[in-house]
Amino acid sequence: MAGTRRRPARGEWTAWAGELRALWTAPVWGAAAAVVLLALALAVRLWMSGASYGVLDPSVSALTSLPSALRAAAWQFATLLGLVLTGVVVATGLGQTLEGGTWSALRLFENRVGVLWARKAGAALALSLAGQIVTGVLLWLATSALARLWPVRPRAVAPGFAGGAAPTPPPLPVDPLPVESATWGQAAGAIAAALLVQLLFVSLAALAAALLRSVIGTLALGIGPLLVTAPLVLLPAAPFLPHRWIADLLNLPPEAQYQLYLWNQAPPDPAPLTGGLALAAAAAVAATAAWAGLRSERSLRPVD
Amino acid sequence: MNRLVRAETRRLLRHPLGLTLAALFVLGSLYCAWVSQSMASYNITQVQANLDFLPESCDSPRNTPEQKAGCLAEVPLQAVGLERIQDRFTAEGVRAAQAQHPVGSLLWTVRLLTSVPGLVLLVMVAAFSVAGEWSRGSIVPILLYESRLGRLLAAKALAVWAWSLVLLCVSAAATAAFGLLYGRGAYPLPSPGALGTVLADTALGVLAGAAVLAGAAAVAVALGALLRQPMRTFLAGMLLLVLVVRTSAAPGLGAWLPGGALADLVGFGAVDGVWDHFWISTDPSTAPVLLRVLPTLALIGLLWLGLDRFNRTRDRA
Amino acid sequence: MIGREHHTHACSHELGANACPPKMSVLSCHEVTKGFRKHSVLEGVHLSLEAGEIVGLLGLNGAGKTTLMRVITGLSTPDSGEVRLFGEALPMRPRQLDRLGAALDAPAFHRWSTGRAMLRTLLDTAGLPDGGRIARTLERVGLTGAADRRLGTYSQGMRQRLAIASALLKQPDLLILDEPTNGLDPEGLRMVRRIVAEEAARGAAVLVSSHQLDEIQRICHRVIMLAQGRVVAAGTLDALGYDPESGPAAFEDWFFGLVGNGARP
C-alpha cells in the first residue's frame, strides 16, 4: 500500500548544501568578485599614496598582519560594500524566486517557511563569511607584497587609534611593519560583529523581497532605506540609527573612512554593546517581519 | 507614440516599485537638505563666534604682557584666516539656502537627481521597465501590438524621463516645504540671492538637469534592451556609473568625458550633502561646456545605433 | 447528489475493475470555505479521495478549482473547515508533504536554471536525496534530451512537462495536477494519461483538473464539479447520469447542464 511504503528520510545537510549551491549564479559571483576587488583597490590605492610620502596610515600598514587584514575585511562586509552584495544575493535568490512564482513550487517541497527562510539567511551569511576570509587573506597577501616592493614606515600614532586619537608627527623610522595590528581575538570579534550586521542586511532585503516580490524591488527597498537615512547620522538623531550602531559595534576608526570601509562618519560611541544589542533587536524584528511576509499567501502570487 | 509614452508613464507613476523608488529619493533628498542646512548654519555661527571672540582671545590673565603683545600682533593674521573660512562657509550656506527657497529648491534637487543617487534610480527603473519585459515574458504581447522595437524603446526612454521630471518636482516641493516651514527658522542661512538671480540660475540648472536626465534615461533603457535581464542591467549600470564618476577627474580628458561634462553642465562643485560626496569635476577646462557635451551625445547616439543593429540580428523576444 | 459527493467507486474501463486498489482515505475536505476580502471563492466544499482513485475536478474559470487545490496543498489556509491528508489534519507536516506531489498554476521556474538543476533545487529544498530519481522522472516526462538546457529556452509544453516532473519527483501518494494538459502536444496528452494511470495503479490518489472534458471522461474514476465555489455534483459519470457511449459533444452538454453558465450573481 502506498501509505506504508518506506520513504527516504529528509536530510537537513542535503538541504543546506543545496541552498549554498543555489548561490552559484553569475550576478552573485560577479558582485562578490567586484566587492573583493574594490576592497583590495582601496587598500592598494591608500598604500601607494602613502608610499609616495614614505609613511603610511597605520590602518593600512597594519594590514600586513593577517588578523588586521581580516578585521578590515569584516569592516568592508559590514558597511556599504557588504550591504550592496547582500542586496544582490537576496535579489537574485529570493527576489527572483518570488518574482517568477517559483516560491510556491518550493513551498510544495518544504512548507515550513521559517526553515526555508533560515536556510536562505544562513547561506547568505556563509557567503559573507567566506567573502570576509577571502578578502582578508587577499588584503594580507597584497599588502605583504607591497611592503616588500615599496618598503615604507608607518606613521606612529598613540595607542588605540580606533578610538579616534589624533595622529602625531612621525618620529624616528619605525620598523618593522606593522605598528597597529589587531589580535586574533579582535579579528574574530569583528567578523562576528560583521555577521550580525549582515543578518540585519539580509533580513531587510528579504522583507523587501516579500513586500515587492521583484528583483529590482528587493534591491531598492533592501538597500535604499539605509542609504536614504545615512545623512541623518549627522543630526542629533544619530544614536537611534542603525548606521551609528554599526559604527559603534565595529569600532570603525575615523582615519580609515572611505579606505577600509565605506560608511558614515558617526563619532564612535564608547559603549559598543549598546549598538550590538540594538542591532540584534533590529535584525530580529526585520527577520520576523520577513518571515511573516514570506509566509503570507500574497507571496505566492507573482507580480506583473 | 504619444499614447505609448502616456501609458508607460502612467504605469511607472502608479507601480509599487516606481512609488517606492520615488519615496526613497524624496526622503533621501529631504534628509540631505536637512543635514546640509544644519551643518552650514552651524559652521557659519561657529566661525562668526570665533571672529567675535578673537579680539578678547589675548586677554587671558595667564598671559604675560609680552605674550599678550605677541598675541595681539597675530590677531589680524588670524582674522584673515578666519574670514577666508567664513567666506567658504558662507558660499556653502548660500548653496544650502537654495533648499529653503520655493524656487531654488528645484536647483538643489536637480543636482542630487543628476548625481549618483538619481542616476542609480534611473537604472533601476529602466531595469524593471525594459529588461523586466523580457525576463517576465511580457514583451511578446507588447511586440504584437507595436512591432517597431526602436519606437517602443524610445517611448520607454521618454516615460522614464517623464517619471524623473515628476520626481524632481515632487521632491523639490517636499524639500521647499521643509525649508520654508522648519529650515528657515531652525537653521538661519544667508540669502540665496535676489529673486531674479535665483530664477535664472534655477531655470538654467533645471534645463541642464533635464537634458542630463534625458541622456541618462536613453542610456539606461538601451542597457536594459541590450541585456534583457534586470539584475544584469542594474550591475552593468552601476559599473558604467562608477566609470563615469572615476573618469571625471582624468587629467586633460576628464572635462570632455561624460562625468566631467555632466558635473560642469549641472554645476556640481561643492558638497551638497552626504549622498553627493565624491563627484566633482576637478579637470579644469576653458572650452564651453556645451561643446564638451558633444562627445557624450555622440556616445549615446552610437549606443542606440549599435542597439538597433544588434536587435536586427537577434530574436526580438 | 448536490453538495455532497457520491461515494460509489468504479474504476475506468482503461484500468479495468480488477485493477482497483484497496480503498484508503488519502484526502478529505469538510466544509472548506475560503474567500479573498469580501469575495467568496470556496463555500462549504466537501470531498474525499481514496488511494488508487483518479478524480477529475471540473468547473468553469473562476469556479474555485485552483484555490481548492492550493488549500489542499497547504499553500492557502481555509477560512473555515477541515482538510485531512493521510489521516492527519492540516496544517501540513513534513511527513505529509513528503507524500504529496503537485503541479499548480502556470509553471514559473528560474529562467537561467536547467531542467535538471531545477528539479535538484526542489529535492534539495525538501532535503531529499536524488538516488537517480531526477533522471527517471525526466525520462518519464520525455525531457531527458533537454534536461541540461536553460529553462529560458524551453517551450510552453516543455515547461508544463517539467511542472509534471516536479509533481512526480517525490513518488507521491497524493498527486494533484492543475490543468496538466495545458500547452501539451498530442504525444504529451498521451503521456499525461499514461502517467496518471501508472500513478493510480501504483496506489496513489490523483486529483486532476482540466478543461479538456474528453480527457477527464477518459481517465477519471469520478468527477467533482465546482460552480461558484460550491460542489454542485460529485460521483461517477454513470451515477451522475452520463452515458459514456454518447460522445464528447454529449459530455459537453451534460457538463453545462450540471454547472450552468457559471455566471456569478
Side-chain angles (χ1 to χ4, degrees), chain C residues 157-168:
Chain C
M158 289 164 88
R159 285 200 294 272
Q160 187 66 36
R161 284 167 187 256
L162 189 65
I164 295 169
S166 75
L168 297 172

Side-chain angles (χ1 to χ4, degrees), chain B residues 130-142:
Chain B
V130 182
E133 299 284 17
W134 274 276
S135 71
R136 290 188 297 269
S138 47
I139 189 72
V140 174
I142 293 173

Side-chain angles (χ1 to χ4, degrees), chain A residues 7 10-11 21 100 102 108 119, chain C residues 98 108 124-125 127 170-171:
Chain A
R7 297 187 157 271
R10 283 177 172 240
R21 221 180 1 250
T102 315
L108 288 171
R119 281 189 207 143
Chain C
D98 285 351
D124 285 343
T125 302
K170 291 188 276 188
Q171 291 182 292

Side-chain angles (χ1 to χ4, degrees), chain B residues 124-149:
Chain B
M124 282 185 160
V125 169
F128 161 77
S129 155
V130 182
E133 299 284 17
W134 274 276
S135 71
R136 290 188 297 269
S138 47
I139 189 72
V140 174
I142 293 173
L143 281 173
L144 290 176
Y145 280 86
E146 173 54 72
S147 60
R148 291 161 296 185
L149 188 55

Side-chain angles (χ1 to χ4, degrees), chain A residues 174-225:
Chain A
V174 183
D175 279 315
L177 294 171
V179 292
E180 188 61 42
S181 300
T183 62
W184 281 103
Q186 285 171 317
I191 288 175
L195 288 178
L196 174 62
V197 174
Q198 283 269 310
L199 178 62
L200 175 68
F201 293 168
V202 171
S203 303
L204 288 175
L207 179 59
L211 288 177
L212 291 180
R213 289 171 290 153
S214 80
V215 173
I216 296 299
T218 306
L219 274 175
L221 203 56
I223 301 175

Side-chain angles (χ1 to χ4, degrees), chain A residues 63-142:
Chain A
L63 297 182
T64 49
S65 89
L66 185 54
S68 294
L70 285 169
R71 184 179 62 176
W75 290 340
Q76 291 286 22
F77 274 77
T79 49
L80 184 66
L81 291 184
L83 176 64
V84 174
L85 178 61
T86 307
V88 172
V89 169
V90 178
T92 50
L94 202 50
Q96 173 66 40
T97 300
L98 288 159
E99 180 172 315
T102 315
W103 185 240
S104 59
L106 293 183
R107 294 266 300 267
L108 288 171
F109 281 74
E110 176 53 86
N111 66 320
R112 294 169 299 176
V113 175
V115 172
L116 275 177
W117 162 218
R119 281 189 207 143
K120 293 202 176 292
L125 291 182
L127 178 78
S128 165
L129 180 62
Q132 289 178 51
I133 292 171
V134 168
T135 308
V137 169
L138 288 176
L139 274 176
W140 172 62
L141 288 174

